[in-house]
Amino acid sequence: MTDRVKIFDTTLRDGEQALPASLSVKEKLQIALALERLGVDIIEAGFPVSSPGDFKSVQTIAREIKNATVCGLSRAVMKDIDACGEALKVAEQFRIHTFIATSDIHVGSKLRKSQDEVLDMAVAAIKHARRYTDDVEFSCEDAGRTNIDYLCRMVENAINAGATTVNIPDTVGYTIPSEFGAIIQTLFNRVPNIDKATISVHCHNDLGLAVANSIAAVQFGARQIECTINGIGERAGNCSLEEVAMILKTREAMLGLQTGINSQEIFRTSKLVSQMCNMPVQSNKAIVGANAFSHSSGIHQDGILKAQNTYEIMTPESVGINKNHLNLTSRSGRHVIKHRMHELGYKDEDYDLDTLYQAFLKLADKKGQVFDYDLEALVFFDQQKQQEANYELLYLHANAGKGMIPSATVKMRMGDQEGTASATGNGPVDAAFNAIIQVTGNNDIEIVDFKLDSKGEGADALAQVSVVAEYRGRRFNGIGLATDIVEAGVKALIYVLNNTCLADQIDEKKQQKIAGV
């Protein structure tokens, strides 16, 4: 018999904790919608009590997602649980995920409580969460290093208190597969009420064993895996969603397990998360890396030509990688673009054809040929305009050269006003940034990181600029795309400025609520 394993995605919670800057509400929603298309069962959307922005993100995602359960994280603290309940109540189906540490080192050194006190806190938190929903998950933080007798006792009491899912995390990535599998097996053998809850696992990758430990756990009865796209997350990352999904699919005959993941959405979702989170995927990454389906050895190439399965245990098409690199030019019509987007796995509602086509024509005039990766880049970046953008670039001119002082002039729309400014700098990008700061009057912005990447091949490849800026104690990430590096950098900074405006609006609404306005 084939058994079902639930996929619990925590890209927007545990994964985001490892990013250089927080994602905006709009960016998080875009990723959540991609996760829904991918077929994940539960989307952990954030930690609502942590900030007004996170609360807003969780609430927005909860309102928009229809085919997955939206989850919010909370400590075993009543105000955390209340924040989850408030943010998630707009969802069609939601889960509250509460946790507390159970290992001796955490209980004694961090919590400074007795085991009985921690158990009582866990039970109280679960019961409080049940006031909001019947779908409550409880996590024994650092379960991998928890005394097994205490772990069994905690799991039994958590289920009696009303937890419908109990998570066994290897929080610091310490265990090895045989050890972690034995922990799960022991729980099933010793906890009398374990059949009344789903056992979940949340493994970190500090020793590179997160995926292996997760697979060992489901072999011994766990039926939920917590993971992230591309394995992003704290320190060395989390269990990689694409890897466990394809292991369970490729080895279904042996393992007798399956998921609800639509594997053909894997590559597109991986690319979206990589680009929006500014977290590149290594070339040799399993399933989604650039070399995952490449063959350099002559022997391998000969084998592939004779029979694909000689050196490929899965096809690139099975994870949504289309091998047909169709070249497009400015002479290509809308129907060709629409057909190509369909071949790449996009649905009509995923993009605006008119907007994409106009951006495509401009790019085709500059480059001559446009490739698949160009089209996807236009979807990911050029259409990522803020819903209520306060700042918009109207004009840009930059000068630089040997013996010249770099300078730039910009014209900006700021709300319902327009302004122009000129400035100098260490280079044309710095000059343009200085001009933007001058015309907007936003002196609270400080650039802390600037990265340049090439999207495509050759001298006319698209430039992707990623900017991390600090604004009033918080960090924001902006991404810009253009054939010109200066323009790409300016777009990235404007993206940051618009996100700071949204953050200010959220903070202002929270203060008004506190003041009773």
Side-chain angles (χ1 to χ4, degrees):
M1 290 182 61
T2 298
D3 212 347
R4 179 79 147 72
V5 175
K6 294 179 182 179
I7 297 298
F8 177 111
D9 184 276
T10 184
T11 300
L12 293 172
R13 201 278 301 168
D14 203 330
E16 200 216 11
Q17 290 174 191
L19 302 186
S22 298
L23 298 169
S24 69
V25 174
K26 186 173 183 288
E27 289 167 334
K28 288 183 180 180
L29 177 59
Q30 190 171 348
I31 291 174
L33 292 170
L35 294 172
E36 184 178 39
R37 286 194 300 269
L38 181 60
V40 305
D41 299 284
I42 302 100
I43 298 173
E44 189 166 53
F47 199 162
V49 80
S50 64
S51 72
D54 222 30
F55 182 95
K56 179 68 173 178
S57 297
V58 173
Q59 187 178 60
T60 301
I61 292 168
R63 185 179 291 113
E64 296 295 329
I65 295 298
K66 306 301 179 186
N67 299 318
T69 298
V70 181
C71 177
L73 182 70
S74 73
R75 296 166 297 179
V77 176
M78 302 312 162
K79 69 173 183 178
D80 287 28
I81 295 167
D82 291 338
C84 279
E86 184 66 24
L88 292 166
K89 67 182 182 181
V90 296
E92 292 192 5
Q93 48 191 359
F94 69 89
R95 172 182 296 184
I96 293 177
H97 180 191
T98 186
F99 72 95
I100 197 166
T102 55
S103 67
D104 288 346
I105 191 169
H106 279 252
V107 170
S109 301
K110 186 179 74 174
L111 299 179
R112 297 182 179 180
K113 296 182 181 295
S114 69
Q115 288 186 339
D116 287 342
E117 287 174 320
V118 170
L119 192 147
D120 289 342
M121 289 175 65
V123 168
I126 294 165
K127 289 181 176 179
H128 191 67
R130 283 295 297 252
R131 297 179 183 179
Y132 292 99
T133 176
D134 293 336
D135 191 348
V136 174
E137 176 170 340
F138 172 72
S139 282
C140 309
E141 186 186 6
D142 203 23
R145 296 189 294 175
T146 297
N147 174 276
I148 193 63
D149 293 332
Y150 183 56
L151 186 62
C152 289
R153 183 177 163 213
M154 179 65 80
V155 171
E156 181 180 357
N157 278 271
I159 296 171
N160 282 336
T164 50
T165 300
V166 178
N167 183 38
I168 310 300
D170 185 19
T171 305
V172 292
Y174 178 71
T175 63
I176 63 174
S178 58
E179 181 183 17
F180 194 64
I183 291 172
I184 303 302
Q185 184 180 39
T186 300
L187 290 174
F188 274 93
N189 289 337
R190 291 179 52 182
V191 176
N193 58 354
I194 201 163
D195 60 314
K196 293 181 172 58
T198 298
I199 298 302
S200 175
V201 290
H202 179 117
C203 298
H204 279 261
N205 208 39
D206 298 72
L207 294 176
L209 294 171
V211 170
N213 282 338
S214 298
I215 295 300
V218 296
Q219 287 182 289
F220 283 103
R223 286 297 176 265
Q224 178 176 286
I225 295 176
E226 305 194 1
C227 43
T228 61
I229 299 297
N230 301 332
I232 65 174
E234 289 278 4
R235 303 181 312 279
N238 287 62
C239 173
S240 169
L241 183 151
E242 59 276 4
E243 292 178 25
V244 291
M246 292 309 294
I247 288 169
L248 294 177
K249 180 175 181 178
T250 305
R251 304 306 308 275
E252 183 179 341
M254 175 196 174
L255 297 172
L257 301 169
Q258 63 178 206
T259 71
I261 293 296
N262 175 6
S263 66
Q264 292 185 338
E265 289 285 331
I266 284 176
F267 183 70
R268 179 155 68 110
T269 310
S270 166
K271 197 166 185 179
L272 172 69
V273 170
S274 173
Q275 292 177 327
M276 293 191 76
C277 296
N278 191 22
M279 294 282 281
V281 175
Q282 65 196 62
S283 296
N284 63 328
K285 170 78 166 65
I287 315 300
V288 293
N291 295 340
F293 296 96
S294 297
H295 305 276
S296 300
S297 163
I299 295 174
H300 286 210
Q301 291 173 344
D302 179 66
I304 286 290
L305 291 173
K306 291 175 179 175
Q308 190 171 4
N309 63 0
T310 53
Y311 288 101
E312 285 186 358
I313 60 173
M314 68 196 96
T315 66
E317 291 86 354
S318 69
V319 297
I321 300 174
N322 195 301
K323 294 189 292 186
N324 181 9
H325 296 288
L326 178 65
N327 296 344
L328 303 168
T329 71
S330 59
R331 295 180 294 278
S332 302
R334 278 179 171 80
H335 67 286
V336 176
I337 303 301
K338 183 176 181 179
H339 173 75
R340 191 73 211 109
M341 293 301 291
H342 177 73
E343 290 294 310
L344 289 170
Y346 292 85
K347 299 176 183 177
D348 291 348
E349 59 267 26
D350 293 340
Y351 63 95
D352 181 82
L353 180 59
D354 290 335
T355 302
L356 175 61
Y357 186 65
Q358 292 305 315
F360 158 76
L361 288 178
K362 291 179 182 179
L363 184 59
D365 285 339
K366 291 181 179 180
K367 291 190 63 174
Q369 289 185 335
V370 175
F371 299 89
D372 290 349
Y373 48 72
D374 290 320
L375 281 180
E376 292 198 289
L378 291 175
V379 172
F380 288 138
F381 296 106
D382 281 2
Q383 293 196 42
Q384 284 185 39
K385 296 178 180 177
Q386 298 297 326
Q387 292 177 334
E388 298 179 5
N390 189 62
Y391 298 106
E392 181 184 2
L393 179 69
L394 302 176
Y395 172 83
L396 168 66
H397 182 76
N399 284 312
K402 186 176 181 180
M404 292 179 59
I405 297 175
S407 63
T409 300
V410 298
K411 183 177 182 180
M412 298 277 296
R413 178 184 66 78
M414 300 157 289
D416 55 2
Q417 298 181 341
E418 293 182 2
T420 303
S422 298
T424 59
N426 296 325
V429 175
D430 186 46
F433 280 17
N434 290 338
I436 290 171
I437 298 301
Q438 182 178 319
V439 73
T440 60
N442 195 334
N443 297 312
D444 293 332
I445 290 282
E446 180 184 354
I447 306 299
V448 296
D449 192 27
F450 181 99
K451 291 180 181 177
L452 173 64
D453 190 19
S454 173
K455 290 296 173 185
E457 302 170 358
D460 58 356
L462 288 167
Q464 177 189 320
V465 169
S466 301
V467 168
V468 177
E470 192 159 296
Y471 175 74
R472 297 179 180 176
R474 296 163 65 184
R475 289 194 171 188
F476 295 83
N477 185 45
I479 303 174
L481 190 80
T483 52
D484 178 75
I485 294 172
V486 180
E487 184 182 350
V490 165
K491 286 183 175 181
L493 180 57
I494 292 173
Y495 198 89
V496 166
L497 289 171
N498 280 316
N499 280 341
T500 62
C501 284
L502 291 175
D504 285 342
Q505 291 170 13
I506 292 171
D507 289 342
E508 183 179 352
K509 288 179 180 178
K510 183 185 179 184
Q511 292 303 320
Q512 289 176 347
K513 186 176 181 180
I514 292 173
V517 178

